[in-house]
């Protein structure tokens, strides 16, 4: 079996920045409350009442805001990796907010990028990118050469803008990685995937409706499953938390992220965080935070990285990854 490594990353965010203060036009809230309870200061918005250019009712060619963000991030990742689209064996688009219900959003994205190898959507909510990374690792181990893994979301399209207890959390964006096969063990050292489908009612969106969330219960469960999953991945990788150079949690709420880091014994200055600028971007949050840390020069060759996400379902996933620097 071959191993795998990340050969290039890319990100994309909508231009429209919405500050907490702007949300006071929609519901009774304050910048201070949102900052203290979530750590969020701004989010990027592509749809909903605060978007500069609201989405048209129909999406021509199937490429709406989720697809466009995915294409932009995917193109940048391919360019960073120096891999042409014809060499991609599979495009995995992780999203919980696709532009159309049928076909899979990855079809239009693959056409725009020139990928013909294969394409599918993966919906594991905010654990999506980490689920995708494990899936890519398996395929690359079985003989594929390159997988283009993209997390892309337009959560503002399914946000309930009349619900002040959830609407401030969500934002839009995309992050992508080219994951390539390498001889030997590679970078995926340990992983854990999980789901508890009896918890669907904690967070869901029905067709044509807005997101419904039991925030406190999600908070409580999220901390527990993320910690347990991270511990399982660390054990499988045969490493300890003090060896982790960078912790990249799902960017849901700074209080959840810091509580998980503390319970794992990882100092919060070793945590990657973009939540203040992006809010919760679901499948896009982990690649956005990882790419941000890479761009800031926070990772060196050989560093151990712990990725850990949880999401609606309830799903969870974690990965221990050895960072391999690319030129
Ligand atoms: N502005 C001002 N006050 C508010 C707001 C608001 N936007 N929203 C709620 N409040 C009020 C409530 O009405 C309540 O008032 P009361 O005490 O008079 O009843 C008070 O603030 C406290 O509300 P809580 O719900 O207890 O606030 P909490 O500290 O739990 O924070 C939050 C709420 C931030 C939503 C938190 O529960 C959370 O982050 N939960 C996890 C959410 C999450 O991670 N979701 C994503 C999952 S991943 C995915 O798949 C998308």
């Amino acid at each position: 079996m071959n191993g795998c490594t990340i050969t290039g990353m890319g990100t994309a965010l909508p231009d429209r920045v919405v500050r907490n203060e702007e949300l006071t036009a929609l519901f009774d809230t304050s910048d201070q409350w949102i900052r203290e309870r979530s750590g969020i200061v701004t989010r990027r918005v592509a749809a909903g009442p605060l978007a500069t250019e609201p989405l048209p009712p129909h999406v021509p060619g199937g490429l709406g805001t989720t697809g466009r963000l995915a294409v932009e991030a995917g193109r940048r990742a391919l360019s960073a990796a120096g891999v042409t689209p014809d060499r991609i064996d599979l495009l995995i688009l992780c999203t919980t907010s696709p532009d159309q219900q049928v076909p899979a959003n990855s079809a239009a994205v693959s056409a725009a990028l020139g990928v013909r190898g294969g394409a599918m959507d993966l919906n594991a909510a905010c654990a999506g990118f980490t689920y995708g990374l494990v899936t890519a690792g398996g395929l690359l181990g079985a003989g594929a050469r390159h997988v283009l893994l993209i997390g892309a979301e337009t959560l503002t399209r399914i946000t309930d803008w009349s619900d002040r207890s959830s609407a401030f959390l969500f934002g839009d964006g995309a992050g992508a990685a080219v994951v390539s096969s390498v001889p030997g063990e590679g970078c995926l050292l340990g992983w854990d995937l999980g789901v508890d489908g009896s918890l669907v009612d904690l967070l869901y969106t029905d067709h044509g409706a807005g997101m419904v969330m039991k925030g406190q219960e999600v908070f409580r469960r999220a901390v527990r499953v993320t910690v347990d999953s991270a511990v399982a991945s660390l054990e499988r990788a045969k490493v300890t938390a003090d060896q982790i150079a960078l912790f990249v949690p799902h960017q849901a709420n700074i209080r959840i992220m810091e509580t998980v880091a503390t319970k794992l014994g990882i100092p919060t200055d070793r945590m990657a965080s973009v939540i203040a600028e992006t809010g919760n971007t679901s499948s896009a949050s982990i690649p956005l935070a990882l790419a941000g840390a890479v761009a800031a020069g926070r990772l060196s060759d050989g560093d151990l990285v712990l990725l850990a996400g949880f999401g609606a379902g309830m799903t969870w996933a974690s990965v221990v990854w050895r960072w391999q620097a690319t030129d």
Side-chain angles (χ1 to χ4, degrees):
M1 284 258 296
N2 282 336
C4 60
T5 187
I6 291 175
T7 46
M9 294 198 74
T11 61
L13 292 167
D15 293 334
R16 172 83 165 104
V17 178
V18 171
R19 300 188 61 79
N20 288 341
E21 290 85 351
E22 287 189 64
L23 299 178
T24 60
L26 300 178
F27 42 78
D28 182 16
T29 190
S30 68
D31 172 49
Q32 190 190 352
W33 190 94
I34 296 173
R35 278 179 198 243
E36 284 177 6
R37 294 298 175 121
S38 70
I40 298 167
V41 180
T42 62
R43 72 284 293 140
R44 299 298 186 100
V45 163
L50 294 168
T52 315
E53 295 172 51
L55 271 189
H58 298 289
V59 183
L63 206 59
T65 48
T66 297
R68 273 181 256 152
L69 289 166
V71 168
E72 206 176 321
R75 203 167 268 148
R76 288 181 178 148
L78 287 166
S79 164
V83 171
T84 50
D86 55 297
R87 291 165 64 206
I88 296 294
D89 293 313
L90 180 68
L91 186 162
I92 304 176
L93 177 59
C94 311
T95 186
T96 197
S97 49
D99 295 319
Q100 289 179 312
Q101 191 167 345
V102 178
N105 219 161
S106 51
V109 170
S110 65
L113 286 172
V115 170
R116 298 290 294 272
M120 66 178 187
D121 285 11
L122 188 163
N123 181 352
C126 308
F129 189 84
T130 317
Y131 262 70
L133 193 55
V134 175
T135 307
L139 193 71
L140 292 159
R145 295 158 304 167
H146 303 283
V147 172
L148 177 57
L149 178 63
I150 309 176
E153 302 282 5
T154 312
L155 292 184
T156 56
R157 190 166 47 211
I158 55 170
T159 297
D160 178 353
W161 291 101
S162 67
D163 178 11
R164 73 169 183 164
S165 68
S166 67
F168 65 92
L169 288 169
F170 303 113
D172 305 329
V178 175
V179 194
S180 305
S181 85
V182 285
E185 183 189 38
C187 299
L188 179 55
L189 306 185
W191 57 271
D192 176 68
L193 302 179
V195 65
D196 182 350
S198 71
L199 301 177
V200 165
D201 287 347
L202 293 188
L203 181 52
Y204 62 90
T205 307
D206 284 326
H207 287 297
M211 232 180 300
V212 179
M213 184 182 78
K214 295 181 181 149
Q216 285 187 357
E217 189 62 10
V218 171
F219 192 116
R220 206 170 59 79
R221 301 259 184 185
V223 170
R224 193 187 309 158
V225 300
T226 310
V227 169
D228 288 351
S229 182
V231 167
S233 282
L234 289 166
E235 281 175 8
R236 207 176 254 194
K238 297 187 176 57
V239 300
T240 50
D242 57 301
Q243 293 174 266
I244 296 297
L246 188 73
F247 174 44
V248 190
H250 166 48
Q251 314 278 303
N253 181 324
I254 194 71
R255 289 158 52 217
I256 297 179
M257 294 156 59
E258 289 181 349
T259 305
V260 169
T262 303
K263 282 183 183 290
L264 288 170
I266 299 174
T268 50
D269 62 2
R270 280 197 233 150
M271 187 170 80
S273 178
V274 291
I275 186 159
E277 296 85 39
T278 63
N280 177 348
T281 57
S282 192
S283 303
S285 92
I286 283 184
L288 282 171
L290 178 60
V294 173
R298 293 181 65 186
L299 281 174
S300 306
D301 202 36
D303 278 353
L304 294 183
V305 182
L306 173 65
L307 313 178
F310 68 91
M314 179 172 244
T315 56
W316 56 88
S318 58
V319 156
V320 176
W321 188 270
R322 183 189 295 114
W323 186 254
Q324 195 170 53
T326 52
D327 292 333

